[in-house]
Amino acid sequence: MTDCILVLDFGGQYCHLIARRIRELNVYSEIVSPDITPEEIAKYNRRYDVKGLIISGGPQSVYEENAPRFDKNLLDLDLGILGLCYGHQLIAHYVGGRVEPGERKEYGITKAIIDKPVGILKDLNKEGRVWMSHSDTVLEMPDNYEVLAHTDNSPVAAFKHKKKRIYGLQWHPEVVHTVNGEKMFRNFVYDVCKCKGNWIMEDFIEESIKKIKERMGNKKAIIALSGGVDSSMAAILAHRAMGKNLTAVFVDTGLMRKNEPESIKRIFTEDFDLNFRFIDAKERFFKALKGTEDPEEKRRIIGELFIRIFEEVARDIGAEFLIQGTIYPDRIESGTQHAFTIKSHHNVGGLPDVLGLEIVEPLEDLYKDEVRVVAKKLGLPDEIAYRHPFPGPGLAIRIIGEVTPESTGIVREADAIVKEEIKKAGLEKELWQFFAILLPIKTVGVQGDIRTYRNTVALRIVQSVDGMTANFAEIPYDVLERISTRITNEIPEVNRIVYDITHKPPGTVEWE
Ligand code: XMP
């Protein structure tokens, strides 16, 4: 049976990272409710071999009224148990340690002194950098516990039960700033919990297929394919589970990049034999967008039309389910107005509420890079597995001003040139996005000795980790020059190219 570590979620912002770090060590890990009981764990054991529990961090103080608790009986189970941050304080509080309520805050990178390099801290150096974020502090543990590490502000920064396999760490080993965090988890899962390390991503695939089958039986589902890695992956997984009961719907809005609709169609019908519905809605989209210049209005129109089209298809097929490629970061409430706007307006993810279909999200626990790994394992080509982000409203928000078949044609050709040249220069992997924007500005130029009065194209090429902030990329001049020359030579409507040198903030990645 597959070994499993359960992570009790006390609402810490890194909770999900813990499960991920464990999976990276080839041990299956799942996040569970903090009030899980020993009986519920026994139920887990029908499917997995639960070898350990991690009690996550959380924003509370153990002294707060209504502070969340876990079932004390868990501490009597013969499992490896690790409390992190709030989990560490909570264990200390339960077993009679002295926990000082929240005055002496410790935040950021801190030097930890390892007093006893045993168990979870085995083979670690005397001093190590760890990442802290806490206010309650454990000052003392009862006699049946020993202190393994301290910091300037935390006399008990790590502890261990003398006989049982119960550990606590005040710091966050899941955060990259904790040097050797991986080693601590490795010690925990392999030495403390005696896991075998027998879980691999293929198991995720098998498990997901099984879950989808169980949930849907013989019912019908649709999935909105955008061509991005998430929806593509979800489609392939669901297809494996449901076969022809799944219909993948791809809407050609006329706002996609050059050759993209054709290539998506080829991949999903020829390589994967999906039940594929290609909806040519170009005319409908252009008609709906006619005369519209306002960016948010464009998004609204596109979003609405998407919904209408999916409603039509769902009705036609008799679908009861909607498969979505939502991944874990999509679910994090960043709380920023901006993230909210992006999500609510125009992602195909905005479909479900309106469609009245039951939603299945097979990738909801995965991070992007995990999705890419699975995508490769499922045989998706690199052009999808490593596709750069492309906004839901497509080229419409890269045309400043009215979206027409003509303006879209110009920006699409320019975009294709940017893509080709960036690829040729071998820069593709280090860039977050690279594209062209058509500006509503005409300027005077001279081409072939003739005065011209034509369009301007802006180049947007940025580096970013998550799209929330971005830097304009320092592209070599010769690459910029090739892009500029090709666009002005090959696209008769354009006579001027400018390079956007704005970071985000204050700019955004897209111009609209
Ligand atoms: P901004 O322009 O907000 O872009 O800095 C950040 C990231 O989000 C993408 N983006 C969108 N994605 N629908 C999407 O699905 C949209 O309306 C949208 N607007 C921006 C953008 O391409 C970048 O990756």
Side-chain angles (χ1 to χ4, degrees):
M1 222 183 311
T2 309
D3 290 338
C4 173
I5 302 283
L6 297 177
V7 180
L8 278 62
D9 181 3
F10 278 95
Q13 53 179 326
Y14 305 112
C15 180
H16 206 271
L17 260 184
I18 302 170
R20 185 209 159 119
R21 297 280 178 251
I22 304 294
R23 292 201 296 262
E24 282 171 351
L25 295 168
N26 297 114
V27 174
Y28 182 67
S29 179
E30 205 167 289
I31 296 185
V32 296
S33 160
D35 48 20
I36 191 166
T37 61
E39 294 72 37
E40 284 164 336
I41 291 177
K43 274 194 209 155
Y44 259 91
N45 276 325
R46 290 186 206 149
R47 291 181 74 174
Y48 302 105
D49 193 356
V50 177
K51 291 282 185 68
L53 306 177
I54 297 183
I55 298 160
S56 87
Q60 298 84 0
S61 156
V62 298
Y63 290 106
E64 260 170 47
E65 222 181 297
N66 302 327
R69 304 267 188 248
F70 64 89
D71 185 336
K72 254 188 189 173
N73 295 319
L74 297 185
L75 294 177
D76 295 326
L77 297 176
D78 183 21
L79 296 173
I81 294 180
L82 171 61
L84 299 178
C85 197
Y86 180 71
H88 165 90
Q89 296 148 13
L90 207 49
I91 296 176
H93 186 61
Y94 275 180
V95 302
R98 193 151 68 87
V99 183
E100 182 184 62
E103 280 139 34
R104 288 196 271 171
K105 288 201 189 331
E106 211 173 5
Y107 181 85
I109 294 170
T110 310
K111 188 174 75 182
I113 309 293
I114 313 281
D115 304 301
K116 288 189 186 162
V118 298
I120 186 166
L121 301 181
K122 199 181 86 175
D123 296 336
L124 293 180
N125 294 334
K126 178 89 190 140
E127 282 184 19
R129 283 198 307 156
V130 297
W131 199 82
M132 296 278 209
S133 172
H134 68 110
S135 43
D136 279 2
T137 306
V138 181
L139 296 184
E140 226 180 295
M141 289 299 279
D143 286 346
N144 50 348
Y145 278 80
E146 55 189 330
V147 178
L148 302 185
H150 69 274
T151 69
D152 281 351
N153 284 315
S154 295
V156 186
F159 62 69
K160 165 185 185 301
H161 191 283
K162 284 184 179 158
K163 297 219 174 80
K164 295 189 203 170
R165 295 181 289 159
I166 302 176
Y167 289 81
L169 297 179
Q170 180 56 76
W171 60 78
H172 288 268
E174 69 278 20
V175 173
V176 286
H177 308 297
T178 295
V179 179
N180 287 323
E182 191 221 326
K183 177 129 193 67
M184 295 167 200
F185 279 129
R186 188 175 284 282
N187 285 338
F188 180 67
V189 297
Y190 289 118
D191 289 2
V192 177
C193 299
K194 310 284 181 216
C195 290
K196 291 185 287 290
N198 53 2
W199 186 81
I200 42 171
M201 265 295 175
E202 275 86 350
D203 295 338
F204 167 83
I205 297 173
E206 292 314 313
E207 280 156 25
S208 303
I209 293 173
K210 214 159 101 196
K211 277 189 202 158
I212 299 174
K213 272 190 180 150
E214 278 169 12
R215 178 132 178 228
M216 312 232 217
N218 211 19
K219 296 187 175 142
K220 294 203 159 78
I222 55 170
I223 178 163
L225 264 188
S226 67
V229 62
D230 304 341
S231 65
S232 301
M233 245 282 290
I236 301 299
L237 267 182
H239 172 65
R240 289 236 189 141
M242 309 175 62
K244 295 289 178 191
N245 277 335
L246 174 77
T247 302
V249 185
F250 176 79
V251 180
D252 183 359
T253 55
L255 305 167
M256 301 293 287
R257 283 171 293 189
K258 193 170 178 179
N259 298 332
E260 205 162 30
E262 296 76 16
S263 136
I264 290 168
K265 184 174 180 180
R266 181 184 49 71
I267 291 167
F268 287 97
T269 53
E270 292 176 21
D271 302 354
F272 286 98
D273 192 29
L274 253 76
N275 209 348
F276 187 83
R277 196 58 88 95
F278 185 95
I279 313 255
D280 181 351
K282 293 198 276 287
E283 269 183 37
R284 284 175 81 175
F285 275 90
F286 284 126
K287 200 167 152 211
L289 285 165
K290 198 166 179 339
T292 303
E293 295 195 351
D294 180 73
E296 285 309 294
E297 186 60 12
K298 286 181 189 172
R299 287 187 161 92
R300 195 190 57 72
I301 292 170
I302 293 169
E304 264 186 33
L305 194 45
F306 255 118
I307 290 167
R308 217 169 303 140
I309 291 171
F310 279 101
E311 260 170 357
E312 290 164 13
V313 181
R315 217 176 305 127
D316 187 34
I317 291 173
E320 292 178 52
F321 290 91
L322 177 74
I323 313 277
Q324 294 240 114
T326 317
I327 63 172
Y328 184 72
D330 296 337
R331 299 196 292 135
I332 300 173
E333 282 174 0
S334 73
T336 64
Q337 186 55 39
H338 187 69
F340 178 70
T341 305
I342 285 184
K343 290 194 175 186
S344 64
H345 280 245
H346 38 257
N347 272 351
V348 190
L351 282 174
D353 303 350
V354 207
L355 283 180
L357 298 172
E358 204 176 313
I359 297 147
V360 177
E361 296 175 317
L363 316 180
E364 63 184 350
D365 285 329
L366 297 187
Y367 281 82
K368 196 73 162 190
D369 53 340
E370 292 181 309
V371 174
R372 292 196 212 283
V373 171
V374 183
K376 290 297 293 171
K377 287 197 190 296
L378 284 171
L380 276 168
D382 281 1
E383 66 179 288
I384 290 191
Y386 295 101
R387 186 185 189 245
H388 286 77
F390 184 64
L395 299 175
I397 56 166
R398 294 180 181 171
I399 295 162
I400 313 303
E402 190 184 7
V403 179
T404 62
E406 294 71 36
S407 59
T408 313
I410 296 173
V411 84
R412 178 181 294 120
E413 288 304 318
D415 178 77
I417 291 171
V418 175
K419 194 168 167 194
E420 270 175 42
E421 291 302 327
I422 290 290
K423 208 168 163 185
K424 254 192 243 163
L427 298 170
E428 219 182 357
K429 289 224 162 81
E430 61 197 70
L431 298 171
W432 171 260
Q433 272 170 297
F434 35 89
F435 54 87
I437 300 144
L438 180 64
L439 307 187
I441 298 170
K442 287 194 175 178
T443 66
V444 174
V446 51
Q447 283 169 297
D449 291 338
I450 298 171
R451 177 189 188 273
T452 57
Y453 186 56
R454 294 180 179 159
N455 293 104
T456 305
V457 159
L459 306 178
R460 186 68 167 143
I461 307 180
V462 296
Q463 285 174 317
S464 173
V465 178
D466 54 11
M468 300 302 281
T469 59
N471 284 355
F472 75 82
E474 293 183 27
I475 297 297
Y477 281 150
D478 61 323
V479 179
L480 288 176
E481 186 186 10
R482 273 199 297 279
I483 294 174
S484 165
T485 308
R486 277 195 60 193
I487 294 179
T488 47
N489 281 347
E490 295 173 32
I491 307 177
E493 295 87 348
V494 181
N495 70 352
R496 191 174 298 274
I497 312 295
V498 296
Y499 189 51
D500 180 355
I501 51 165
T502 324
H503 297 316
K504 171 185 179 177
T508 49
V509 175
E510 306 289 346
W511 276 34
E512 288 202 331

